[in-house]
Amino acid sequence: MSKFKLLKKEECVPNLHKFVVSVPDIARKVEPGQFVLIMVDEKSERIPFTLADWDEKDGTITFFVQEVGLSTTKMAFMEEKDSFYSIVGPLGEPAYVDNFGTVVLGGGCFGLGAIYSVAKKLKDLGNNIITILEAKNESRLYYEDEFRAFSDEVIFVTSDGSKGEKGHIYDVLEEMIVSQGRKIDHIKVIGCNVMMSKVSDVTKSLGNIPTYATVSTIMVDGTGMCGCCRLTYDGKTKFACVDGPEFDAHKINWDELIGIRNTSYIREESLSLQNFSPQCRSLAKILAKMNEEESI
Amino acid sequence: MKTKERMQILRSEMPCQPPEVRGKNFREVPYGYTEEMAIQEAQRCLNCKKPKCVEGCPVRVPIPEFITLIQEGKLFEAAKKIKEKNVLPAVCGRVCPQEVQCEELCIRGKKGEPVAIGHLERFVADYERLSGYISSPVTVKKNSKKIAIVGSGPSGLTTAGDLIKLGYEVTVFEAFHIGGGVLVYGIPEFRLPKSVVEYEIQNLENQGVKFVYDNVVGRIRTIDDLLSHDSFDAVYIGVGAGLPVFMNIPGENLKGVYSSNEYLTRSNLMKAYLFPDYDTPLVLGKNVVVVGGGNVAMDSARTALRLGADNVYIVYRRSREQMPARAEEIHHAEEEGIQFNLLSNPVEILGDEFGRINKVKCQRYKLGEPDKSGRARPIPIEGEYFELETDLIIISIGNNANPLITMTTSDLEVNKWGNIVTDEMGRTSKPFVYAGGDIVTGAATVISAMGAGRRAASAIHEDLFPEKDEEVDFITVPKEKLKIKEIAISPESPRLKIILSNVSDKPLDQVKVTITHVHDFFENALLETTISRWTPEEEHEFSCPRMQENEKEYLLSVKDINGKLFSKIIVVEEENK
Ligand SMILES: Cc1cc2nc3c(=O)[nH]c(=O)nc-3n(C[C@H](O)[C@H](O)[C@H](O)COP(=O)(O)OP(=O)(O)OC[C@H]3O[C@@H](n4cnc5c(N)ncnc54)[C@H](O)[C@@H]3O)c2cc1C
Ligand SMILES: Cc1cc2nc3c(=O)[nH]c(=O)nc-3n(C[C@H](O)[C@H](O)[C@H](O)COP(=O)(O)OP(=O)(O)OC[C@H]3O[C@@H](n4cnc5c(N)ncnc54)[C@H](O)[C@@H]3O)c2cc1C
Ligand code: SF4
Ligand code: FES
């Protein structure tokens, strides 16, 4: 089955991989900010990934994968020319874009790559783009050159100060707004929920600067059918997969999202990761090859 | 066998896995009839002249006919007979609410138990499937029109099956990675084995229907894209009612609260019941509360039980008689030890400091005056509350229409609940776009979704090959080709006889003669034959049984390889001339 073939895979920094997969129908239709749901094999969960880039001509889509649990580890073990069992998309509403003026884009972990398509689109619309890329240390930063091509300014921030500023995205933002008195019209962040919630707190307290976050929720169908991805937004229940995944960060009930909804399966997640024996795939391949040779 | 003897036979009980065993496994609960049991049960049918049961069946399965075939041991023929009207008998035999449809009206139910029509339907369908029968590709001439079907639930599958037989190129687009709709992601394995659904889809594939999975229409392609970019001639929307209703009470977003859609999808489609062999997890509750009284609630409750719950409670705001679930499911749930808290409804969900639920507070209800649906209205009783300890709550209080398609399609009329508006044949406000099943009616039944699919298939055919063509044909080819020579039909005659002769000077190829009953909604053929070559002056006689003595009008239609030749309504004369 050559559906959903993995054409290119590259480990940009340890445990973070760039995937290029052939899905022409999605490449034709996707817009910045949309995501796909992926099943690695028949037994996999359905896991969401934001599309970072695509090429309509080649029919390919690109996304970044941070290894955190079972499915993402399975993906890390895939090799070029392997195929995914299922890729569904593009899902979710496209990111809110316009000519805002000066836009700050903040990306952390997989968000460094994920926010790329939005950056490109906003640049096309005539915005002044400031990109802030956050990582633990210098060795975890990637996609620098790509962002330089579309940003008027690229700022690095690392927890240990090994590259650029020391601290987090929200520290840089605070510095820019409070100390430097710079005017920012719009902020977008993609990354882990905790980072985004902190950015939201900062920008809210600094005069409600419009801030949009791409939330990470657990998902199943991605079409609004199950309600698993629900969050409280502006006092109402919303589904991240159809109403989002990008929301006005100031209206999200972050405590509920981070503390309750996304930690529903910690026990099961660690159990299934422990059960996973990474040799399986390579072993299976060798066995298949041996069988093949025998039959010849 | 005499009627008296038939009357003495008692209904064959369906053999089932014992409750204490089945509560711990996911295998199907009823084993199904043996051949002897089926034949004995079939002998209870009186083969009524005016079968009441058929009136109760939404797609008018010829019930006494197929049961008579079982009596005669002609089991394949019986399966074929049902399939004339119902393309998914193995499914319907298992999930139709027979007690309020065919079996409710069965004459034998007046005194004692009705004939077990559902069990018999299931038996013959299983018999055919287990014999290894598979359908072969449809050999009809392709008519060069392409139809897109959105959604592979029972309604989409029915439309696909009907249209492929009419020569269309049919492609089904499905959002999930496997087909079947609610039949695979909603109804659990222990009630409808997935192999049954797989078999039906395999059959359609063999007949030439193409399935495209992982395709969320509205996102990857819109309905307008299907009509323009993908150049389909018509689109059928059968996407079901997939938007879970929550209760909007405090605590609903705590850990351990599921919609039944999520719970059942995780368990059935993603096979969370096989975790950790399969990757998708599911919270396993010890004290489970299921809110609702329909099939969905029963399925959720019985799934939770099988996943190891100690106590499973159904909390439902009306009384038992008003539960919409199938009688058999309520009965099975009770046998398995599901506890019913009727006339009560949750008002608040309480949790611990980790956000995990631990209790649910419910209010007691009483019954009041009947509401619009005719059911007594449940009224909350002031100040009467009780609490249940729980670590898993599954909310099964219904589904609304999912707006994904309607939002992304121009000029598609919807009602105030978001359901697509159609005429009785499934035509929407948008030309060449049809819809049916739960997305039109709101959550209903498998059989009604199938009926809608079938009506839409005939509407599509009518619209793509309109009668107008026939008139044009008449003008350009003035010479009559076929003539009715004789019609033998009278009120006494149980049969209809027609003699046709070719009056043109050319042979006719692939002449298809169909006789249907004018008032038969599904236009099911009483007779359908094809004469491959009909030479000039040659005569053919056609004969078929009449529907019923009091039915007077029949429709004769004749086509050849180039299209329709004529159609004519034949009326049975009142008096002998
Ligand atoms: C709209 C959207 C876009 C996303 N885009 C990307 C992307 O481009 N690249 C990327 O690497 N990741 C992305 N994620 C997050 C990614 O889906 C999760 O990392 C993934 O589900 C983890 O699966 P797993 O089986 O490997 O880990 P699991 O074993 O399921 O979980 C391991 C850890 O990850 C956490 N987790 C589980 N599911 C999620 C989730 N859906 N979101 C966040 N944390 C989760 C768990 O709480 C646990 O701590 C996105 C999530 C969403 C909702
Ligand atoms: C748990 C449960 C138990 C039930 N038990 C019974 C019973 O015992 N007896 C009975 O008669 N009825 C029962 N029902 C009701 C019955 O299953 C439904 O009425 C019936 O399945 C409706 O059929 P449908 O074809 O309209 O839609 P569905 O069966 O819902 O199928 C719709 C299909 O469309 C797909 N889809 C949705 N959106 C899109 C999109 N945008 N693009 C592509 N595909 C899409 C879905 O994935 C799905 O496969 C039950 C329902 C549930 C949920
Ligand atoms: S009503 Fe009952 S007895 Fe009469 S034909 Fe139908 S199934 Fe047989
Ligand atoms: S993932 Fe199921 S509703 Fe969003």
Side-chain angles (χ1 to χ4, degrees):
Chain A
M1 210 180 63
S2 60
K3 238 168 97 185
F4 315 128
K5 200 177 220 165
L6 174 54
L7 301 177
K8 251 175 84 185
K9 177 173 162 256
E10 182 190 325
E11 190 158 5
C12 308
V13 295
N15 298 339
L16 194 142
H17 311 260
K18 176 179 162 182
F19 280 74
V20 181
V21 184
S22 158
V23 198
D25 278 354
I26 296 183
R28 183 164 63 82
K29 203 73 187 176
V30 58
E31 300 208 30
Q34 290 189 302
F35 66 93
V36 290
L37 277 174
I38 294 187
M39 285 174 81
V40 180
D41 53 54
E42 197 202 333
K43 296 184 173 182
S44 288
E45 266 190 272
R46 292 160 67 94
I47 301 290
F49 295 96
T50 301
L51 294 184
D53 206 359
W54 50 89
D55 185 329
E56 194 181 335
K57 213 167 76 263
D58 298 349
T60 59
I61 57 172
T62 303
F63 50 89
F64 289 86
V65 178
Q66 170 91 52
E67 282 179 60
V68 291
L70 177 60
S71 299
T72 44
T73 306
K74 276 186 176 177
M75 289 170 85
F77 275 95
M78 290 179 79
E79 288 167 24
E80 287 176 9
K81 307 236 162 49
D82 282 346
S83 292
F84 289 93
Y85 177 71
S86 158
I87 298 186
V88 185
L91 297 171
E93 287 296 307
Y96 166 44
V97 291
D98 204 340
N99 188 346
F100 299 112
T102 298
V103 180
V104 171
L105 297 173
C109 57
F110 69 81
L112 260 64
I115 208 159
Y116 178 69
S117 71
V118 184
K120 241 166 63 172
K121 179 81 193 181
L122 285 169
K123 186 72 209 165
D124 281 351
L125 290 170
N127 289 284
N128 177 34
I129 310 269
I130 304 168
T131 307
I132 309 176
L133 304 175
E134 172 178 333
K136 271 215 176 67
N137 54 48
E138 184 176 7
S139 68
R140 306 222 157 226
L141 286 166
Y142 60 97
Y143 235 43
E144 189 180 325
D145 296 340
E146 283 80 355
F147 273 106
R148 288 215 185 275
F150 291 99
S151 309
D152 297 277
E153 200 176 327
V154 179
I155 301 170
F156 296 102
V157 50
T158 48
S159 315
D160 64 356
S162 51
K163 178 156 184 168
E165 311 279 319
K166 183 171 176 188
H168 299 279
I169 293 180
Y170 41 89
D171 298 323
V172 178
L173 271 169
E174 200 164 352
E175 157 98 17
M176 284 169 75
I177 300 162
V178 181
S179 317
Q180 303 172 2
R182 293 175 66 166
K183 185 175 163 292
I184 297 169
D185 301 300
H186 190 94
I187 298 169
K188 275 192 202 304
V189 276
I190 305 189
C192 76
N193 287 332
V194 177
M195 178 275 280
M196 294 191 291
S197 75
K198 292 204 170 141
V199 168
S200 170
D201 288 346
V202 168
T203 61
K204 197 171 185 174
S205 67
L206 295 179
N208 280 322
I209 306 169
T211 303
Y212 283 76
T214 296
V215 297
S216 249
T217 60
I218 297 174
M219 294 189 176
V220 179
D221 61 300
T223 62
M225 188 275 279
C226 76
C228 153
C229 62
R230 64 191 187 274
L231 67 155
T232 305
Y233 176 79
D234 207 8
K236 291 192 212 59
T237 295
K238 295 273 176 195
F239 293 175
C241 70
V242 282
D243 302 316
E246 189 189 80
F247 291 95
D248 178 345
H250 296 157
K251 294 185 181 159
I252 295 171
N253 181 339
W254 288 104
D255 291 342
E256 180 186 277
L257 180 63
I258 296 168
I260 300 178
R261 302 249 6 114
N262 265 19
T263 54
S264 294
Y265 299 106
I266 291 192
R267 233 187 14 224
E268 290 80 6
E269 281 155 357
S270 43
L271 175 66
S272 57
L273 188 58
Q274 282 160 21
N275 275 354
F276 178 59
S277 47
Q279 304 94 312
C280 293
R281 204 173 237 283
S282 0
L283 207 76
K285 270 207 179 131
I286 295 168
L287 285 176
K289 203 158 177 206
M290 276 164 57
N291 283 341
E292 217 170 80
E293 280 165 2
E294 253 166 46
S295 66
I296 291 174
Chain B
M1 196 184 278
K2 292 214 177 68
T3 304
K4 213 164 157 198
E5 288 171 67
R6 295 190 188 283
M7 291 297 288
Q8 269 156 7
I9 311 172
L10 292 177
R11 176 161 161 143
S12 303
E13 277 308 316
M14 174 60 97
C16 287
Q17 277 193 66
E20 46 313 338
V21 176
R22 70 188 191 229
K24 298 190 178 62
N25 68 51
F26 272 82
R27 288 192 300 275
E28 193 177 7
V29 170
Y31 293 121
Y33 278 166
T34 61
E35 193 166 334
E36 297 76 58
M37 290 168 89
I39 291 176
Q40 180 181 327
E41 181 62 27
Q43 281 164 346
R44 296 181 64 227
C45 172
L46 308 177
N47 198 2
C48 305
K49 281 236 171 56
K50 270 199 171 175
K52 280 278 174 205
C53 52
V54 178
E55 284 169 31
C57 173
V59 301
R60 304 277 184 272
V61 167
I63 294 168
E65 282 94 329
F66 96 75
I67 296 186
T68 308
L69 287 165
I70 300 179
Q71 289 172 5
E72 294 163 4
K74 295 179 181 157
L75 301 175
F76 287 115
E77 283 89 336
K80 217 169 135 209
K81 192 87 213 159
I82 301 176
K83 282 195 180 161
E84 285 174 8
K85 297 278 179 168
N86 180 342
V87 287
L88 304 172
V91 173
C92 289
R94 288 173 165 85
V95 304
C96 271
Q98 287 93 4
E99 71 276 7
V100 293
Q101 297 182 351
C102 51
E103 293 183 21
E104 182 179 36
L105 298 181
C106 169
I107 204 81
R108 296 245 8 211
K110 291 243 155 60
K111 250 179 30 201
E113 297 261 21
V115 174
I117 302 169
H119 294 342
L120 289 174
E121 180 179 31
R122 170 188 158 156
F123 170 77
V124 288
D126 285 356
Y127 187 88
E128 184 190 63
R129 182 177 75 258
L130 298 174
S131 74
Y133 169 86
I134 24 174
S135 19
S136 39
V138 177
T139 48
V140 291
K141 195 166 154 264
K142 287 279 162 212
N143 66 19
S144 81
K145 300 267 187 203
K146 282 169 59 179
I147 314 293
I149 306 226
V150 185
S152 63
S155 81
L157 294 180
T158 306
T159 316
D162 280 6
L163 290 176
I164 197 86
K165 291 198 193 83
L166 291 168
Y168 291 88
E169 194 185 315
V170 182
T171 309
V172 179
F173 293 90
E174 167 57 48
F176 276 127
H177 47 281
I178 47 177
V182 167
L183 307 182
V184 295
Y185 71 71
I187 304 181
E189 179 75 18
F190 56 82
R191 204 144 75 75
L192 177 63
K194 300 309 147 225
S195 54
V196 172
V197 184
E198 265 164 41
Y199 169 82
E200 298 300 351
I201 290 180
Q202 189 59 53
N203 264 333
L204 287 173
E205 274 182 351
N206 290 347
Q207 290 172 23
V209 176
K210 264 192 271 169
F211 284 83
V212 179
Y213 295 111
D214 305 302
N215 251 256
V216 179
V217 173
R219 295 282 193 210
I220 196 163
R221 33 170 63 81
T222 59
I223 300 290
D224 293 290
D225 288 340
L226 286 169
L227 291 166
S228 55
H229 179 273
D230 300 314
S231 55
F232 283 99
D233 296 286
V235 179
Y236 177 72
I237 305 173
V239 294
L243 188 76
V245 176
F246 286 95
M247 291 182 294
N248 288 320
I249 59 172
E252 226 170 359
N253 290 350
L254 291 175
K255 248 178 271 182
V257 184
Y258 283 86
S259 74
S260 51
N261 285 9
E262 181 186 353
Y263 189 77
L264 292 171
T265 303
R266 281 180 179 265
S267 175
N268 298 327
L269 182 77
M270 306 307 293
K271 304 226 186 313
Y273 72 91
L274 299 174
F275 181 88
D277 183 25
Y278 279 71
D279 301 348
T280 302
L282 197 58
V283 166
L284 303 180
K286 282 288 157 211
N287 294 297
V288 182
V289 172
V290 179
V291 186
N295 285 317
V296 191
M298 298 303 139
D299 285 345
S300 305
R302 296 170 70 199
T303 299
L305 183 85
R306 282 161 174 74
L307 288 171
D310 296 332
N311 290 297
V312 182
Y313 307 99
I314 294 263
V315 173
Y316 179 55
R317 87 201 150 103
R318 300 177 193 248
S319 69
R320 164 161 329 218
E321 296 68 47
Q322 295 166 312
M323 282 196 169
R326 293 177 78 217
E328 190 183 7
E329 307 317 323
I330 300 176
H331 174 65
H332 280 161
E334 233 165 17
E335 278 186 344
E336 288 166 14
I338 308 288
Q339 302 162 51
F340 290 75
N341 277 295
L342 302 166
L343 290 167
S344 54
N345 202 31
V347 287
E348 186 178 359
I349 300 167
L350 306 157
D352 61 16
E353 70 269 34
F354 307 110
R356 197 165 276 286
I357 56 165
N358 53 19
K359 273 197 211 96
V360 56
K361 184 174 169 191
C362 304
Q363 183 164 26
R364 290 196 199 281
Y365 276 58
K366 62 178 181 212
L367 290 181
E369 293 296 304
D371 63 9
K372 266 191 236 115
S373 70
R375 295 189 295 179
R377 190 196 301 273
I379 304 170
I381 308 175
E382 199 72 34
E384 284 207 28
Y385 296 99
F386 65 98
E387 283 185 349
L388 288 171
E389 295 222 345
T390 177
D391 47 3
L392 172 59
I393 297 181
I394 305 164
I395 301 169
S396 323
I397 55 171
N399 271 295
N400 286 336
N402 190 316
L404 200 58
I405 296 248
T406 47
M407 257 172 16
T408 51
T409 311
S410 55
D411 343 303
L412 193 61
E413 193 187 334
V414 296
N415 67 16
K416 65 176 169 186
W417 298 282
N419 294 110
I420 300 178
V421 176
T422 69
D423 70 4
E424 71 277 13
M425 296 302 282
R427 294 181 181 93
T428 68
S429 56
K430 199 175 167 73
F432 300 109
V433 176
Y434 306 76
D438 284 2
I439 185 63
V440 171
T441 55
T445 57
V446 170
I447 193 73
S448 62
M450 290 174 57
R454 172 149 285 183
R455 290 193 293 279
S458 69
I460 289 172
H461 192 47
E462 237 168 60
D463 294 352
L464 291 182
F465 293 94
E467 299 278 309
K468 261 193 265 124
D469 288 354
E470 175 192 11
E471 282 166 25
V472 174
D473 218 334
F474 262 91
I475 299 160
T476 50
V477 190
K479 201 170 200 173
E480 258 193 286
K481 291 178 180 170
L482 271 184
K483 206 168 189 166
I484 299 177
K485 245 190 124 181
E486 191 188 320
I487 301 175
I489 174 172
S490 71
E492 292 84 49
S493 159
R495 291 185 80 77
L496 175 72
K497 199 169 96 185
I498 296 171
I499 297 175
L500 293 175
S501 122
N502 182 354
V503 291
S504 70
D505 49 13
K506 288 210 181 67
L508 300 168
D509 286 321
Q510 294 290 333
V511 185
K512 190 167 160 197
V513 179
T514 337
I515 300 176
T516 54
H517 179 244
V518 171
H519 300 298
D520 178 9
F521 204 55
F522 298 110
E523 296 190 8
N524 224 68
L526 296 167
L527 172 123
E528 196 173 74
T529 38
T530 307
I531 311 279
S532 49
R533 173 153 273 232
W534 195 329
T535 50
E537 283 176 59
E538 193 183 348
E539 278 177 12
H540 280 283
E541 179 182 317
F542 303 95
S543 157
C544 68
R546 291 175 54 197
M547 183 106 154
Q548 259 175 41
E549 287 138 280
N550 56 347
E551 297 293 359
K552 298 199 190 65
E553 297 178 339
Y554 296 86
L555 180 73
L556 167 72
S557 54
V558 187
K559 290 177 194 155
D560 76 350
I561 196 157
N562 300 315
K564 207 164 217 172
L565 293 178
F566 69 88
S567 52
K568 193 172 169 60
I569 291 180
I570 299 165
V571 184
V572 179
E573 300 292 330
E574 261 317 326
E575 258 126 275
N576 291 343
K577 276 195 277 192

